[in-house]
Amino acid sequence: QVQLVESGGGLVQAGGSLRLACAASGRTSSIDFMGWFRQAPGKGREFVGCIEWNGKTTDYGDSVKGRFTISRDIAKNTVYLQMNSLKPEDTAVYYCASVGRRRFAYWQPGQYDDWGQGTQVTVSS
């Protein structure tokens, strides 16, 4: 019921920055939370962060806390992931996801209803 499209991935040197965007369409009025996850080759999906759609509260995974920031442009139905001080271990496919639920385990990927196609982020050392 919600379509999500990520963009902004690419190649960057360690210590650099990237900003990812996730554009939402469809039944966007149903969204309560937007999450960011990432998946490296051979690994499971890791929680990066999330933002509450209306209240705009945020939380982050320990590995990115202090380096990544999530924000939302309400007019564009778009959520952003600003990534600073990038490390080689940040290399992964980054996904955004949405869920129409106000109380849930937001760090668990299985809790989310809709997912984007992902965008590749590669950090060189």
Side-chain angles (χ1 to χ4, degrees), residues 23-39:
S25 61
R27 196 184 171 199
T28 57
S29 62
S30 69
I31 298 173
D32 287 318
F33 277 82
M34 294 284 290
W36 285 96
F37 292 81
R38 64 187 184 185
Q39 188 166 19

Side-chain angles (χ1 to χ4, degrees), residues 41-103:
K43 304 295 183 181
R45 285 170 291 177
E46 178 188 13
F47 174 70
V48 174
C50 65
I51 184 168
E52 204 276 315
W53 192 249
N54 294 318
K56 297 178 178 64
T57 57
T58 57
D59 197 20
Y60 301 91
D62 290 341
S63 64
V64 306
K65 195 170 296 182
R67 299 188 297 122
F68 292 8
T69 303
I70 298 174
S71 61
R72 173 178 178 262
D73 186 331
I74 189 169
K76 296 182 178 179
N77 283 328
T78 299
V79 169
Y80 301 95
L81 178 66
Q82 178 66 48
M83 305 184 294
N84 299 324
S85 301
L86 283 163
K87 306 173 181 179
E89 51 262 47
D90 295 319
T91 295
V93 177
Y94 283 71
Y95 299 91
C96 66
S98 67
V99 59
R101 197 175 305 132
R102 292 182 177 89
R103 185 181 299 176

